[in-house]
């Protein structure tokens, strides 16, 4: 959690000179965006190529009995045409994607012209397999250009992509395939990260045992590693595209036609398929990418996320490509072959804008300044942070060491559901405070409410739950197949407002400081995980009677995963059984969900009505059991003593 830091880093002279949006312009544009949204969005939406121009800007209602969100609804466009075709007259020979392989000796450049051909061939290949507008296609890929081609090929023919992070298990993959009834999967034989191969195709094969609806699996040859092959179902990517023409007319899509589904964790139940549509999302992606990163033509831009997360969707792919940028796609990890890999890549490709996560910054900070200082980084102009609150120590190190004190940092707060950045500095406009996401982006009206639902004053210092008061084009439209869950999750807690699930503080200067999730969602190394998902994986084990999962502060990961487990009668808890359960969860969900600490407990603290009192479990996990608050409602107060006695985080 960011501690308070009073240092202010004023807008640099270089940024003032070079950016379009200075402090005055930000205020004017922000005012227009909230006072005359129709005029503002009409103009911003004109940054895209529309096949049929829209006449209507916004048609939204957050009333829970009639909840709908529609932007530019009578316009038509195609996302892939906006990311590729419209740049061709001027930029066919400019680099669209720089691919940097896991192996430092492997890299390549794909021009906009080449991107067009790759995407069209695959789009035609998908059509030849019978994929039609509206069909869902699951993409389970390593960070290779074919992942981008696959997403854009879907967009080109109007198929809805659902990218599943390559680190998820076969079980998690199957769940996501089934939830959206997707019958095509695009994958690779193996993925490479840090010199090690991940058996993606073998994972897909295992997922297939639980996903009988899949007709066809398209496989990219990445490593040539061994795998099983089902000739009736599996098809090589290179065979599929071999005979396909390199042109494919982009499908005209209604602005409100779905572009993609992306699964993300909530506070209850299984991950939900957040659905984004075409027009509003792309306007939001392109606009925020331009303003937040102050992107200028010709610059090299690098976002280190994986395309399996929303950050990869919006800020590796759609935002940069809609703006005709050169976007770098990195297959590897920050610490391989050495802890200077990021900075080596920055020098190698002369990166100007670098966007990463606090967890990576903290991990690299631990290696000391040496690996950074051995590189030049003179090309860097702007740094970005996303995924979790950045602690002022990590911010300051990033600024001082990585950016040589010269590069502004944009700390960008947003969510899968928001489509793109919501609260962030603009480099030419906003003085920076380490740990603060600073000010809202155009059109965004954040506010604070108390736990009881009372609105807090909208000026001056305050702290509470973060809500957004008005729709914006990039907002998710629904949860795939469960509109009621969408309404209940985001619009029922504080009627008339979008509830973010985050807590926040606004200081006396109107700066926003995100304090972290206020619900049962964990943020582990910037990855969102629901405690309910991990609990359900634990209780799926035959030895486990009951489990409760909470987060606790972790130096590198931000939050670690702390599991309280009650075993079935007769099963003796041992160090081995703890280790076995960690492996079990890893296998059930994926490596990112591996529990850090497992504590066996004869009983969990419950109210007399049987509700687990997570507040108490959180305190014990945080090693702050001195002040447990009111425990008088517990059915059996003695369980708490046992929990404290045997706590794992000391
Ligand atoms: C983009 C992304 C969303 C949650 C969000 C919040 C946390 C993201 C942050 C941040 C503080 C930032 N979060 N960016 N917290 N400062 N700059 O990460 O989407 O995976 O859906 O996670 O991440 O808690 O609610 P997603």
């Amino acid at each position: 959690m960011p501690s308070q830091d009073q240092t202010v880093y004023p807008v640099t002279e270089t940024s003032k000179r070079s950016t379009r949006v200075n402090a005055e312009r930000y205020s004017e544009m922000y005012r227009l965006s909230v006072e005359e949204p129709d005029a503002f969005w009409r103009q911003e939406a004109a940054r895209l190529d529309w096949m049929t121009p829209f006449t209507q800007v916004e048609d939204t209602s957050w009333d829970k009995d009639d909840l709908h969100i529609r932007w530019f609804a009578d316009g038509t466009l195609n996302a892939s045409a906006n990311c590729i075709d419209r740049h061709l007259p001027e930029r066919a020979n400019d680099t669209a994607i720089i691919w940097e392989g896991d192996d430092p000796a492997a890299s390549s450049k794909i021009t906009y012209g080449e991107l067009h051909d790759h995407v069209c061939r695959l789009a035609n290949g998908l059509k030849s397999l019978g994929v039609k507008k509206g069909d869902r296609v699951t993409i389970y890929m390593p960070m290779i250009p074919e992942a981008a081609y696959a997403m854009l090929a879907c967009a080109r023919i109007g198929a809805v992509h659902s990218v599943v992070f390559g680190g998820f298990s076969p079980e998690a993959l199957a769940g996501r395939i089934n939830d959206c009834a997707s019958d095509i999967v695009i994958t690779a034989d193996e993925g490479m990260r840090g010199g090690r191969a991940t058996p993606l195709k073998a994972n897909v094969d295992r997922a297939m045992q639980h996903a009988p609806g899949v007709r066809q699996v398209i496989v990219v040859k990445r490593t040539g590693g061994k795998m099983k092959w089902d000739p009736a179902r599996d098809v090589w990517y290179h065979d599929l595209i071999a005979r396909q023409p390199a042109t494919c007319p982009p499908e005209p899509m209604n602005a409100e036609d779905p572009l993609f589904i992306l699964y993300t964790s909530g506070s209850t139940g299984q991950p939900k398929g957040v659905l984004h549509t075409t027009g509003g999302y792309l306007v939001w992606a392109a606009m925020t990418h331009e303003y937040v990163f102050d992107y200028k033509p010709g610059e090299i831009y690098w976002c280190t996320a994986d395309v399996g997360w929303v950050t990869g969707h919006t800020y590796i792919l759609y935002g940069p490509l809609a703006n005709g940028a050169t976007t770098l796609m990195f297959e590897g990890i920050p610490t391989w072959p050495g802890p200077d890999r990021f900075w080596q890549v920055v020098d190698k490709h002369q990166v100007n804008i670098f966007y990463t996560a606090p967890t990576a910054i903290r991990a690299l900070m631990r290696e000391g300044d040496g690996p950074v200082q051995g590189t030049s980084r003179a090309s860097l102009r702007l740094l970005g942070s996303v995924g979790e609150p950045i602690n002022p120590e990590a911010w300051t190190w990033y600024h001082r060491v990585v950016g040589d004190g010269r590069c502004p940092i944009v700390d960008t707060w947003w969510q899968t559901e928001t489509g793109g950045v919501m609260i962030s500095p603009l480099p030419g406009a906003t003085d920076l405070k380490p740990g603060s996401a600073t000010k809202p982006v155009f059109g965004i009206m954040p506010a604070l409410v108390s736990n009881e639902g009372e609105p807090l004053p909208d000026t001056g210092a305050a702290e509470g739950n973060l809500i957004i008061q008005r729709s914006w084009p990039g907002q998710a439209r629904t949860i795939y197949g469960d509109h009621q869950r969408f309404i209940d999750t985001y619009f029922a807690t504080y009627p008339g407002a979008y509830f973010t699930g985050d807590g926040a503080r606004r200081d006396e200067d109107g700066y926003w400081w995100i304090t972290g999730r206020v619900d049962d969602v964990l943020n582990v190394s910037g990855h969102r995980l629901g405690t309910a998902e991990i609990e359900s994986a634990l209780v799926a084990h035959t030895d486990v009677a009951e489990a409760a999962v909470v987060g606790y502060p972790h130096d590198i990961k931000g939050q670690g995963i702390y599991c309280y487990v009650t075993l079935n009668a007769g099963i003796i808890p041992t160090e081995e059984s703890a280790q076995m359960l960690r492996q079990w969860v890893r296998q059930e969900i994926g490596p990112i969900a591996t529990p850090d600490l497992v504590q066996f407990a004869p009983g969990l603290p419950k109210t007399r009505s049987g509700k687990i009192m997570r507040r108490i479990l959180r305190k014990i996990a945080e090693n702050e059991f001195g002040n447990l608050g009111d425990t008088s409602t517990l059915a059996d107060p003695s369980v708490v003593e046992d929990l404290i006695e045997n706590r794992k985080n000391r």
Side-chain angles (χ1 to χ4, degrees), residues 313-480:
H313 281 59
T314 308
Y315 297 112
I316 294 178
L317 203 69
Y318 286 112
L321 295 183
N323 289 336
T326 300
T327 183
L328 195 150
M329 198 172 174
F330 176 43
E331 188 185 34
I333 58 171
T335 47
W336 193 85
D340 60 349
R341 183 68 192 275
F342 273 176
W343 328 122
Q344 293 290 355
V345 175
V346 166
D347 284 353
K348 175 174 173 188
H349 298 294
Q350 293 294 293
V351 172
N352 306 114
I353 303 166
F354 177 76
Y355 189 32
T356 196
T359 186
I361 300 166
R362 286 192 300 265
L364 295 175
M365 185 167 110
R366 220 172 44 169
E367 307 280 344
D369 300 1
V372 191
Q373 282 162 350
T375 61
S376 154
R377 290 157 288 105
S379 58
L380 286 177
R381 171 175 77 67
L382 180 69
L383 304 173
S385 173
V386 60
E388 55 178 313
I390 181 164
N391 47 313
E393 299 70 31
W395 193 103
T396 311
W397 184 81
Y398 196 27
H399 187 265
R400 179 177 59 81
V401 182
V402 176
D404 278 329
R406 164 174 60 74
C407 307
I409 298 178
V410 289
D411 174 4
T412 63
W413 173 82
W414 59 294
Q415 310 177 298
T416 305
E417 296 87 339
T418 71
V421 174
M422 301 286 279
I423 303 182
S424 170
L426 304 190
T430 323
D431 296 341
L432 308 173
K433 298 187 188 186
S436 170
T438 77
K439 300 275 188 161
V441 167
F442 306 125
I444 300 307
M445 297 179 62
L448 294 169
V449 286
S450 71
N451 287 338
E452 291 69 44
E454 297 297 324
L456 298 174
D458 56 18
T459 51
E463 180 161 356
N465 299 318
L466 179 63
I467 60 167
I468 309 293
Q469 293 174 291
R470 178 196 280 176
S471 182
W472 65 99
Q475 164 169 43
R477 302 301 195 251
T478 192
I479 290 172
Y480 187 81

Side-chain angles (χ1 to χ4, degrees), residues 54 75 169 180 203 211 336 399 413 516 619:
F54 60 89
S169 68
C180 68
N203 285 352
W336 193 85
H399 187 265
W413 173 82
K619 288 266 181 216

